[in-house]
Amino acid sequence: ICDFDFFKKVNISNEFNEVYFLYCGSTAYSEVIFFIVDSFEKVKKDKAIKLYLVLNGVISQELKVLLDQKRQSIKVFFNLDYIELIALYKNAIALLIPLRNTLQDEARFPQKICEYLASEKIIISTNFGEVKYYFQDMNNALIADDYDVAFYAEKIEWVLLNISKMKELEENAYDSGRKYFDVVS
């Protein structure tokens, strides 16, 4: 549950002036972070598109090595205040939240989804857990049928190839968020 009106008030200046996808999460989900990086790397990019990772927790040596290797295309953020985080959400081209086909992910509904929707951006997720009850692919989200790097990369690439169609999807996502997840509604 999220305060959508609070998100509306946050200044959205893009201080980095970059086009980027964003994932926000704990380093405890390192499998998901590797999945996102692998998916992003598969996307055919004809311009400078970045992946922003907003992380909390301790970075494993394996993850540190990967992020160091990819520092040209990936920016990592730690310890942001909430307003800075919201501004990053609002400036992203799309927000990433893949859920795995695991008991843990089937049983949870990430608060992050509510925040992502309140920022008026489209989410890219997978068709597992509660996501399948609230979101329809190409209507109010982009949903990969499976937790698969190739399928997820297709959704990321779709965004880049269909920028003109994003506004309608973002509006539908925001309306769904207001309906189901706004503390005021």
Side-chain angles (χ1 to χ4, degrees):
I1 303 295
C2 190
D3 184 345
F4 279 55
D5 290 335
F6 178 77
F7 271 65
K8 274 276 194 207
K9 296 174 189 172
V10 173
N11 180 353
I12 62 166
S13 66
N14 184 348
E15 67 180 89
F16 301 109
N17 201 28
E18 295 179 319
V19 178
Y20 60 90
F21 291 87
L22 182 140
Y23 169 76
C24 180
S26 169
T27 56
Y29 290 100
S30 62
E31 173 195 325
V32 174
I33 297 167
F34 281 102
F35 174 86
I36 288 169
V37 170
D38 290 347
S39 299
F40 181 75
E41 290 296 312
K42 281 204 170 300
V43 173
K44 295 177 186 83
K45 301 176 266 306
D46 62 352
K47 54 184 171 181
I49 306 297
K50 299 276 188 182
L51 173 61
Y52 283 14
L53 301 174
V54 179
L55 303 175
N56 60 45
V58 178
I59 293 184
S60 69
Q61 186 59 33
E62 185 181 18
L63 185 54
K64 184 180 182 332
V65 168
L66 174 71
L67 296 176
D68 284 346
Q69 290 171 347
K70 308 290 183 187
R71 68 178 167 264
Q72 297 298 341
S73 61
I74 298 175
K75 280 190 180 177
V76 181
F77 298 85
F78 290 99
N79 301 319
L80 296 175
D81 72 35
Y82 199 50
I83 299 299
E84 291 173 315
L85 178 62
I86 293 169
L88 284 179
Y89 290 165
K90 293 177 93 170
N91 283 296
I93 190 169
L95 301 165
L96 310 175
I97 186 118
L99 297 178
R100 301 163 295 176
N101 187 14
T102 64
L103 189 57
Q104 178 186 15
D105 282 4
E106 283 280 338
R108 71 186 188 102
F109 189 88
Q111 169 70 22
K112 200 64 55 200
I113 289 177
C114 303
E115 293 177 352
Y116 281 4
L117 297 172
S119 68
E120 301 179 72
K121 291 296 175 180
I122 197 71
I123 66 167
I124 303 176
S125 192
T126 49
N127 204 27
F128 296 113
E130 294 297 307
V131 165
K132 63 186 168 212
Y133 302 114
Y134 293 96
F135 301 99
Q136 299 81 41
D137 186 38
M138 305 302 293
N139 177 26
N140 60 354
L142 296 173
I143 307 294
D145 288 332
D146 202 357
Y147 184 80
D148 177 89
V149 167
F151 291 155
Y152 204 75
E154 284 177 13
K155 295 302 177 180
I156 294 171
E157 193 165 331
W158 186 91
V159 171
L160 297 174
L161 297 173
N162 293 280
I163 297 295
S164 65
K165 297 177 184 175
M166 291 303 292
K167 189 69 177 154
E168 181 180 349
L169 289 175
E170 290 169 344
E171 288 171 0
N172 291 346
Y174 185 77
D175 290 345
S176 295
R178 276 273 195 198
K179 180 178 178 181
Y180 296 114
F181 310 118
D182 187 5
V183 295
V184 178
S185 295

